């Protein structure tokens, strides 16, 4: 089932974007926050995040973060 462009972004996906907006002080801080705040593994977090990068609803919700993530992804692809 595909979400329509005008459907709201689910709370968990909004929380993933909010976590991704933050900066992190040291190693392990982000992974700890993922587990504590979202209750999911870092692997699952990155799976959700990668799907969000191409979701129009996520772009509408947080264009700065989504566009930054797209640039990072494209730069990594260019180095391969």
């Amino acid at each position: 089932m595909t979400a329509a462009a005008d459907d709201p972004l689910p709370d968990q996906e909004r929380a993933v974007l909010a976590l991704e907006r933050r900066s992190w002080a040291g190693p392990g801080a982000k992974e700890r926050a993922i587990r504590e705040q979202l209750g999911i593994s870092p692997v699952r977090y990155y799976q959700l995040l990668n799907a969000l990068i191409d979701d129009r609803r996520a772009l509408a919700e947080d264009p700065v973060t989504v566009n930054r993530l797209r640039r990072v992804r494209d730069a990594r692809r260019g180095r391969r």
Side-chain angles (χ1 to χ4, degrees):
M1 182 171 154
T2 304
D6 58 351
D7 285 348
L9 202 58
D11 290 341
Q12 184 180 39
E13 293 178 0
R14 260 195 252 114
V16 167
L17 287 175
L19 206 64
E20 195 60 31
R21 273 193 299 271
R22 295 177 48 192
S23 59
W24 301 98
K30 184 176 184 179
E31 288 74 15
R32 190 170 38 258
I34 291 167
R35 285 189 173 92
E36 291 173 1
Q37 295 175 21
L38 300 177
I40 60 176
S41 72
V43 170
R44 181 66 183 138
Y45 171 85
Y46 288 109
Q47 289 172 338
L48 289 169
L49 186 61
N50 283 326
L52 280 172
I53 292 173
D54 296 318
D55 190 325
R56 282 187 266 166
R57 297 171 305 154
L59 183 60
E61 177 85 22
D62 190 347
V64 172
T65 301
V66 172
N67 283 322
R68 177 180 54 83
L69 293 168
R70 286 177 177 180
R71 285 191 303 273
V72 169
R73 177 183 64 184
D74 293 346
R76 284 185 180 145
R77 283 182 179 169
R79 288 190 299 236
R80 290 181 185 177

